[in-house]
Every structure is written in structure tokens, then in C-alpha cells.
Amino acid sequence: MKKIFFILSIVILIFGSFLFFRNDITDFYKKLSLQLPEVKENINSITQEIEKQVLTPPPLKATKESEQSFLTKEGVIEWTNLQRKNNGLSPLKENLKLDLSAEIKVEDMFQNQYFAHESPEGEGVGDLAVTVGYDFIVIGENLALGNFENDEVLVRAWMDSPGHRENILNKNYQEIGVAVIKGTYEGRITWLAVQHFGFPVSSCPQPEEELKTQIEENQSQAGALQIELSVLKNEIEKMKPRQRQDYNQKIEE
């Protein structure tokens, strides 16, 4: 009886050890095999997040209006860059595509009678950038409604609003587009003003061709190693517990 119990104990020990090592190598394989797709997914998600960054503070309405109100695109850009200069920042360069996207925004607000960053169809400044062909990493939009006395007063009102001030003084922006149009909104004649700020993809350094080639070679080698790992895993799972030396060698590989 003791002999049977002893043999049974040995069998259970061997079988348990086999299951332990098998689970161990399986977990090891899973971790390795998941690394490549996880890295690729993380890189893609980070890239997409950067490319789609949009900054839109709440729209601004004039608290004091003037009967002699008159606004110009050139003046808004000039006073905006003066504020940046006074705060130690580089001036923004006017971009014709951003001018166009800002103009489309103003006309759409008048036509559909709304004052918001998103249109009734759910389109925002990021969508407008795509429409005009402006490829961006970061983009921002300032909106204003009302009969501001002049360009200086309008820009000052934006500067007195924390969110709009952050857009005007954002050190990452390099380009600007502006549209100021007078029209009818909710039954009265008023001005609508739009600023579009941008940091274009073209400003980012492109990877050198040699580096791109090296990345592709590394990806190819990693794929081959993943296949080899899968083959070794299958061989290990088919081995019997008594093949301990061969088993350990395979694990080491």
C-alpha cells in the first residue's frame, strides 16, 4: 500500500511540474508575442491623438457694442501678433487655407443661424481644416459675436478671456487665418469674427530615409523571431515530462 502511495505521489509530482513549466512557458510566449502589436498600436494611437488636437474655448459675445463698429482681417492679425510680441512670442504667419476655413465658418454660422464651434451637422474646425486641405498637428479656433468698435478692441476682448488668450499666446502655433464678416444674426446686423490657429504637419522633421529602412528591417526580423518563437512553443508543449534536459534547453532557446 505504501509502495502504491509512493508511486502515485511521484506521478502527481511529475505531472504537476509539467503543468507548472508548461503554464510558465505559455505565459512567457504570450507576453513576447503580444509586444509587437501593442507597440504598433501605441505608436498609432499617439500619432492620431497628436494629429487631432483641437483647442476651442467657449465663444465670446461682446459686452459693449459700438454703432461705428468696423473690423478687418488684416487688423485682427496685426493686433494678434502684437500681443504675441509683447509676450515674447514669434508672430504668426497668415495662411490662405486657414483664411478660407475661417471664412467658411463665418458664412456657415450666418447661413444656419448658430454661434458655436460645432455646426448643427456636428462639423468643427478640424473638419474644416480637412475640407480646405490643411494638414495639422494642432489647430485652434476663437469665435466672437458683436459690434466691437475696431480690431484692437476685438483682440483685447479675446485677450481678456482666459481660453481665447491661451490660443492667441500658444507657443506651438505657427500660422493663422482670420475672417470678419458683417451680417444678420437673430434678426439684427452684427459682426462675426473667427480666428483659426495652426501648427502644420509640414513643420515636423521627417525621418531620414536610412532610419526608415532600418525600422522596416527590424520589423521584418521581429516578425521572423515571432514565428520561430511559435514553433519552439509548439515543440515544448509536445515534449514529455521525462525529457527534462531537452525541455529546459528548449525553454532556454
Side-chain angles (χ1 to χ4, degrees), residues 168-214:
I168 291 174
L169 300 183
N170 190 318
K171 64 181 181 180
N172 294 320
Y173 292 138
Q174 294 183 351
E175 299 175 330
I176 187 173
V178 170
V180 287
I181 300 176
K182 195 174 187 178
T184 303
Y185 179 74
E186 294 184 341
R188 74 184 187 98
I189 304 299
T190 187
W191 288 86
L192 277 174
V194 175
Q195 286 179 313
H196 280 174
F197 307 92
F199 176 47
V201 170
S202 58
S203 295
C204 290
Q206 299 300 312
E208 297 180 1
E209 201 62 36
E210 183 178 349
L211 178 60
K212 290 171 66 177
T213 301
Q214 185 62 51

Side-chain angles (χ1 to χ4, degrees), residues 9-244:
S9 299
I10 294 298
V11 171
I12 292 174
L13 180 62
I14 293 173
F15 184 70
S17 299
F18 173 70
L19 290 179
F20 173 79
F21 282 111
R22 179 175 177 178
N23 290 336
D24 192 42
I25 192 63
T26 300
D27 290 341
F28 177 69
Y29 168 77
K30 286 180 179 178
K31 289 178 182 178
L32 286 180
S33 63
L34 287 174
Q35 281 181 0
L36 284 177
E38 281 182 356
V39 170
K40 185 176 181 180
E41 182 179 352
N42 288 339
I43 292 173
N44 290 338
S45 64
I46 291 171
T47 303
Q48 291 173 1
E49 181 181 349
I50 294 173
E51 290 179 349
K52 294 182 180 180
Q53 187 176 0
V54 178
L55 305 177
T56 53
L60 176 72
K61 290 186 178 182
T63 56
K64 182 180 179 181
E65 303 201 39
S66 171
E67 294 181 358
Q68 289 76 39
S69 175
F70 186 74
L71 304 175
T72 67
K73 175 183 70 173
E74 294 76 15
V76 172
I77 294 176
E78 180 182 352
W79 282 102
T80 298
N81 278 331
L82 181 60
Q83 292 293 340
R84 289 178 63 87
K85 179 181 178 181
N86 292 340
N87 286 273
L89 298 173
S90 301
L92 299 173
K93 181 180 179 182
E94 183 178 1
N95 181 281
L96 296 180
K97 290 182 178 179
L98 289 179
D99 279 342
L100 178 58
S101 64
E103 184 179 341
I104 292 173
K105 179 65 177 180
V106 173
E107 292 177 347
D108 189 58
M109 286 192 292
F110 273 128
Q111 181 177 347
N112 293 291
Q113 292 294 290
Y114 73 94
F115 182 54
H117 290 291
E118 279 199 4
S119 70
E121 290 76 25
E123 293 185 345
V125 60
D127 302 300
L128 291 174
V130 173
T131 299
V132 300
Y134 186 80
D135 197 7
F136 67 92
I137 293 176
V138 185
I139 198 164
E141 180 179 73
N142 280 354
L143 301 181
L145 167 68
N147 293 314
F148 298 88
E149 183 178 353
N150 52 42
D151 304 323
E152 180 184 2
V153 173
L154 168 60
V155 174
R156 169 52 60 187
W158 271 326
M159 287 293 292
D160 290 339
S161 170
H164 300 91
R165 180 187 180 90
E166 287 180 15
N167 259 346
I168 291 174
L169 300 183
N170 190 318
K171 64 181 181 180
N172 294 320
Y173 292 138
Q174 294 183 351
E175 299 175 330
I176 187 173
V178 170
V180 287
I181 300 176
K182 195 174 187 178
T184 303
Y185 179 74
E186 294 184 341
R188 74 184 187 98
I189 304 299
T190 187
W191 288 86
L192 277 174
V194 175
Q195 286 179 313
H196 280 174
F197 307 92
F199 176 47
V201 170
S202 58
S203 295
C204 290
Q206 299 300 312
E208 297 180 1
E209 201 62 36
E210 183 178 349
L211 178 60
K212 290 171 66 177
T213 301
Q214 185 62 51
I215 291 173
E216 292 172 358
E217 290 178 357
N218 289 345
Q219 289 177 334
S220 178
Q221 293 175 10
L225 288 172
Q226 191 169 6
I227 294 174
E228 184 178 345
L229 181 63
S230 179
V231 172
L232 287 170
K233 172 179 173 287
N234 292 332
E235 291 178 358
I236 290 170
E237 290 181 341
K238 293 177 182 178
M239 297 180 73
K240 297 179 181 180
R242 64 174 178 270
Q243 297 173 308
R244 184 61 179 273

Side-chain angles (χ1 to χ4, degrees), residues 2-14:
K2 290 183 179 180
K3 185 176 181 180
I4 295 174
F5 178 76
F6 176 75
I7 294 174
L8 183 59
S9 299
I10 294 298
V11 171
I12 292 174
L13 180 62
I14 293 173

